[in-house]
Amino acid sequence: MDLTIRPARIDDHEAVAAFTRETWPDREMDDYLPGTFREWAASDDDARRTLVADDGGRAVGVIQGVELSNWESWVQGLRVHPDYRDRGLARRLTDDVLTWARSRGATVCRNLVFSWNVASLGLARDRGFEPATEFRWATVEADADADPVLSVTADPDAGWAFWTDCDARKHLRGLAIHPSRAWTLSELRPADLARAAEADGLFVVGERGTRGLGLRNRAFEADGDRWTEHAVGAWADLDAARALIDAAARDAARLDADRARLLIPETARFVTDAAAARADVSGDPDFVLATDLTDPDIGT
């Protein structure tokens, strides 16, 4: 195709919004791009690159790459106008972002794909992405009277010691929601726990040994409700799950939120523990895939 891949501009917004409003017509969910693309284009810098496919001055495809650390990158927002699908455009956009990420020094690039999005899963595998992990969201109503059944403290050292050898970390490959980038995952670090503790957002379940970890990373509004979000919820047993979920409910009430959500591993143990702790659990898991940018064939 005689198309140009170029940096996004703010004036691409209307074209991008037009072909992304009905991204998933068979699902009761809206695409976030019409509401975020203008900000993406306006705030691109050395650590974030938004690209569009241009056909005669009209944007017909979009993608964004994000630098998460000095070695981790993330790709998101890949969309192609329906009239331009099945022509290799999604592959071109993906390869250009992977090339950019490698130029920034990244050795790994990850993305998130809904488990039901077969087309995007197939594209990711075709471009060298391999399965990394999968997760769901456990959600709970805010409750100022929630009383955890076990002691909950804010000890980052105890929390880190628990995280390094817990089942959740093994399943999640050490990943949690990035502290400043919504819907992106990066490797959890001791500094993340320290920051959460300073913000009164670290929850370490400790009674007869450390048995659980959660850390709030942001509050946000969606569909008229205010949420708190925990980068990860990890626990060793059902009592610890109950304590951590109760702590999240109490914290949400303290911050005048309506509910809290915690990222949890997609395993029978964690999903059923969350249910037994009276949390709701998202109906579909989300998949995280990763590609090794030290491989010179990736992104070419």
Side-chain angles (χ1 to χ4, degrees):
M1 291 185 295
D2 186 21
L3 298 176
T4 301
I5 308 298
R6 59 165 173 81
R9 300 189 298 255
I10 295 174
D11 61 10
D12 293 319
H13 173 263
E14 291 303 321
V16 170
F19 72 79
T20 57
R21 287 195 180 97
E22 297 292 331
T23 301
W24 301 291
D26 297 331
R27 297 216 163 231
E28 295 182 1
M29 61 183 299
D30 295 326
D31 195 333
Y32 63 84
L33 269 178
T36 61
F37 177 84
R38 184 178 281 110
E39 188 274 333
W40 280 12
S43 60
D44 268 2
D45 55 24
D46 289 344
R48 183 162 62 177
R49 176 67 56 88
T50 309
L51 300 174
V52 298
D54 182 303
D55 184 7
R58 181 178 64 139
V60 296
V62 61
I63 196 169
Q64 185 183 68
V66 180
E67 179 181 306
L68 299 181
S69 72
N70 60 1
W71 61 276
E72 296 171 287
S73 59
W74 187 265
V75 59
Q76 60 189 5
L78 174 60
R79 307 286 190 271
V80 173
H81 190 293
D83 293 344
Y84 291 78
R85 292 174 186 166
D86 300 320
R87 302 187 191 182
L89 182 54
R91 291 193 294 274
R92 284 182 59 188
L93 286 164
T94 301
D95 288 348
D96 277 20
V97 162
L98 293 178
T99 298
W100 168 82
R102 183 185 286 112
S103 75
R104 294 291 302 167
T107 58
V108 63
C109 186
R110 304 185 185 98
N111 69 354
L112 183 150
V113 183
F114 297 127
S115 57
W116 46 262
N117 191 344
V118 176
S120 292
L121 290 171
L123 172 70
R125 293 302 304 276
D126 176 71
R127 303 324 296 156
F129 286 81
E130 296 289 338
T133 189
E134 60 278 341
F135 67 90
R136 296 200 199 200
W137 294 104
T139 63
V140 62
E141 299 290 325
D143 183 358
D145 297 321
D147 185 16
V149 296
L150 300 175
S151 173
V152 179
T153 68
D155 184 341
D157 292 333
W160 181 253
F162 172 78
W163 173 251
T164 58
D165 195 38
C166 71
D167 288 342
R169 182 183 184 278
K170 294 181 179 73
H171 179 84
L172 293 170
R173 306 283 186 90
L175 303 177
I177 294 292
H178 190 271
S180 62
R181 304 280 191 185
W183 285 97
T184 66
L185 282 78
S186 61
E187 184 174 298
L188 189 67
R189 297 171 176 81
D192 299 323
L193 275 63
R195 279 193 298 268
E198 291 174 359
D200 295 325
L202 181 66
F203 309 93
V204 179
V205 179
E207 196 165 308
R208 301 185 304 279
T210 306
R211 298 162 61 184
L213 170 69
L215 61 155
R216 171 178 26 86
N217 65 330
R218 68 172 180 140
F220 67 98
E221 293 189 9
D223 299 325
D225 288 334
R226 182 171 172 81
W227 293 75
T228 57
E229 179 182 272
H230 292 240
V232 70
W235 52 76
D237 52 52
L238 180 54
D239 280 346
R242 288 175 170 143
L244 193 60
I245 287 171
D246 281 346
R250 186 171 61 185
D251 178 66
R254 181 177 69 85
L255 297 178
D256 295 324
D258 299 294
R259 51 186 57 86
R261 72 180 187 182
L262 303 85
L263 181 149
I264 63 172
E266 164 65 356
T267 71
R269 168 61 63 188
F270 281 94
V271 171
T272 58
D273 279 354
R278 299 184 180 278
D280 291 328
V281 181
S282 55
D284 294 305
D286 296 315
F287 291 164
V288 178
L289 299 95
T291 189
D292 180 358
L293 294 180
T294 67
D295 182 344
D297 292 332
I298 297 297
T300 59

